[in-house]
Amino acid sequence: MSKTEHAPGTSLLNRSTEWIGLAARLIVGGVWIVAGALKVTDLRSSVRAVQAYELLPNSLAEIVGVLLPLMEIGIGALLIVGLATQISAVLSSALFVAFIVGIASAWARGLQIDCGCFGGGGQLAEGEAPEYLSKILQDIGLLALSGLLVWRPVTRFSVDHILFRAK
């Protein structure tokens, strides 16, 4: 088969979706790894960020603040290598929905907090303005990429591609 020929039954849409899916995996996976890595080095800050949303009892916020960075790193690693992509993308989507709801809730209740998305978090200093809209839009974009991976999880250069591609 020449370079311009493709396997029978593979459409242009399927081939391009695999490449777009690769980009989605790398972008979303990279975001999760960076976000988790920045938080895992300062778990007190991560707990403080979760508590700042005032949505969970303090004892539960402490558990979430400690476990969230580990989940983010795990989901990111699975997406980067393309293993269990669909499950990872479902978890990714669920987290993005939770983050969007949490940020929107903080905004609606007039809280003045840093989202803590990439470490830090908590109450903003006097004169600092929250960036709720940009964070929500960012999360919507990442949610869309995660949704693509739920729909089409098998992508180029992934373990899933090796294990599950049509023979």
Side-chain angles (χ1 to χ4, degrees):
M1 221 184 270
S2 75
K3 287 185 180 182
T4 57
E5 293 178 34
H6 299 285
T10 60
S11 70
L12 179 60
L13 176 63
N14 285 341
R15 289 190 310 272
S16 50
T17 302
E18 281 191 8
W19 287 103
I20 293 167
L22 169 64
R25 271 189 21 244
L26 296 177
I27 291 166
V28 176
V31 167
W32 282 129
I33 288 174
V34 169
L38 290 171
K39 289 181 216 159
V40 81
T41 59
D42 185 4
L43 291 177
R44 277 186 242 155
S45 234
S46 180
V47 168
R48 191 173 44 253
V50 174
Q51 290 171 332
Y53 283 90
E54 300 175 7
L55 292 171
L56 302 172
N58 277 340
S59 58
L60 187 54
E62 287 178 24
I63 294 168
V64 171
V66 170
L67 293 180
L68 184 61
L70 301 173
M71 283 182 56
E72 291 172 337
I73 292 168
I75 290 169
L78 288 170
L79 288 172
I80 293 287
V81 299
L83 178 62
T85 303
Q86 191 168 47
I87 294 166
S88 302
V90 167
L91 293 172
S92 176
S93 297
L95 281 177
F96 283 124
V97 168
F99 292 165
I100 292 165
V101 168
I103 294 167
S105 170
W107 192 5
R109 291 179 292 136
L111 298 179
Q112 298 291 306
I113 63 172
D114 176 345
C115 75
C117 302
F118 293 96
Q123 298 298 319
L124 290 173
E126 188 69 33
E128 282 187 283
E131 300 176 3
Y132 296 136
L133 181 60
S134 65
K135 295 299 180 184
I136 289 171
L137 293 174
Q138 171 187 298
D139 286 351
I140 288 171
L142 292 165
L143 173 60
L145 292 175
S146 295
L148 171 70
L149 294 169
V150 170
W151 174 56
R152 298 298 281 260
V154 179
T155 61
R156 295 283 174 164
F157 304 112
S158 69
V159 174
D160 289 342
H161 188 262
I162 294 166
L163 295 175
F164 303 118
R165 69 177 172 215
K167 304 261 182 207

